[in-house]
Amino acid sequence: MSVGPDGKIDFEGLDVLDIELFNSNMNDLLAGKEVDLPEFDFLEGKKIYGKRITRINENQPIVIEGIHALNGKLTEYIDDEEKFKIYISPFTQLNIDAHNRVPTTDARMLRRMVRDFKYRGKSAAGTLEQWSQVRAGEDKNIFPFNDEADVVLNTALVYELAVLKKYAQPLLESVQPEEPEYSEAVRMLKFLRFFEVIEDESPIPNNSIMREFIGGSIFVE
């Protein structure tokens, strides 16, 4: 497990993954075998076995999702003919006015903040504190491999900031002035002033990517 120049553990690095176990599990599934896929418990910080014992049907696809999915080293023991690589990211196309666009980075950070609080027990300050490390990880682990993708999908939604605001605003307001992340929280609160809140979420489909962050997705076990 590598440590960054700031002395913090790099949780985004490829070397924190059990590559051999992952490849073994995937090849066993492709061979039609039953596999006990471990689930990582973010609150406990360890693998949990016995919850996802599964096998696939003949010709059934396996979806591998994560920041290293385009990196050949992640699946180096899997035949390349078995792979079809897709790069998925929100590429925001909205402008606040004629001179100010909505930064893709801010939209992505708000997604992560809402998800981290809802599913990983992390505060807004915790997400903001880790964000620079996440960005550095992207420069190292994602962007150099974009050209490996067979397809690129833009997941930005024109309404998503109005939905995320309801969740993100109170989280940002909880950051205290004495915390190092306070100035960034204030900046994000000022940014969110440009958006109204969408209270009624019922029109959002249960298979929308937005459900990954706010809940209610059909893609749950």
Side-chain angles (χ1 to χ4, degrees):
M1 188 175 294
S2 60
V3 178
D6 57 359
K8 298 178 181 178
I9 296 176
D10 179 15
F11 290 105
E12 304 287 336
L14 187 65
D15 59 351
V16 303
L17 302 179
D18 192 336
I19 300 295
E20 291 189 6
L21 176 61
F22 176 77
N23 280 262
S24 176
N25 284 342
M26 294 302 104
N27 279 318
D28 283 347
L29 285 172
L30 290 171
K33 298 178 181 179
E34 185 175 84
V35 176
D36 184 356
L37 297 174
E39 183 177 279
F40 190 79
D41 189 317
F42 285 92
L43 297 179
E44 296 291 333
K46 63 181 181 181
K47 298 188 191 79
I48 304 296
Y49 289 89
K51 298 181 66 176
R52 295 194 299 177
I53 300 174
T54 187
R55 66 173 359 122
I56 65 171
N57 299 320
E58 186 177 0
N59 297 322
Q60 179 180 346
I62 300 173
V63 178
I64 300 171
E65 184 272 337
I67 65 172
H68 300 292
L70 298 179
N71 187 338
K73 291 184 178 180
L74 176 68
T75 55
E76 60 181 330
Y77 303 116
I78 301 173
D79 192 327
D80 285 342
E81 293 184 358
E82 300 284 356
K83 307 171 190 175
F84 185 79
K85 297 182 179 181
I86 305 173
Y87 179 51
I88 302 175
S89 183
F91 302 105
T92 308
Q93 301 178 42
L94 290 176
N95 290 335
I96 294 175
D97 54 35
H99 306 285
N100 298 281
R101 68 180 182 86
V102 174
T104 294
T105 299
D106 285 347
R108 290 172 51 248
M109 190 264 283
L110 288 171
R111 282 183 173 188
R112 186 182 183 98
M113 180 181 296
V114 172
R115 183 204 64 186
D116 281 356
F117 177 78
K118 191 173 184 67
Y119 297 108
R120 301 184 179 180
K122 183 178 292 186
S123 66
T127 298
L128 291 172
E129 187 272 335
Q130 196 179 21
W131 187 238
S132 62
Q133 187 177 353
V134 171
R135 294 294 311 283
E138 292 173 338
D139 290 338
K140 176 183 178 182
N141 301 313
I142 298 180
F143 302 145
F145 306 100
N146 286 357
D147 290 342
E148 299 293 325
D150 297 296
V151 173
V152 176
L153 297 179
N154 180 10
T155 65
L157 301 168
V158 294
Y159 61 81
E160 71 175 88
L161 290 173
V163 174
L164 291 173
K165 179 178 179 178
K166 177 172 66 175
Y167 300 91
Q169 183 168 319
L171 296 177
L172 290 165
E173 290 173 344
S174 71
V175 181
Q176 299 302 304
E178 62 271 15
E179 296 182 88
E181 297 76 27
Y182 181 72
S183 61
E184 179 64 5
V186 170
R187 184 187 73 82
M188 291 305 302
L189 284 169
K190 290 181 178 179
F191 167 67
L192 287 174
R193 291 176 186 172
F194 292 101
F195 303 92
E196 298 290 339
V197 173
I198 293 180
E199 295 288 352
D200 182 10
E201 299 172 359
S202 60
I204 302 175
N206 58 10
N207 63 353
S208 169
I209 194 170
M210 184 54 45
R211 292 293 181 183
E212 176 184 343
F213 310 103
I214 65 174
S217 175
I218 195 174
F219 300 112
V220 295
E221 296 183 357

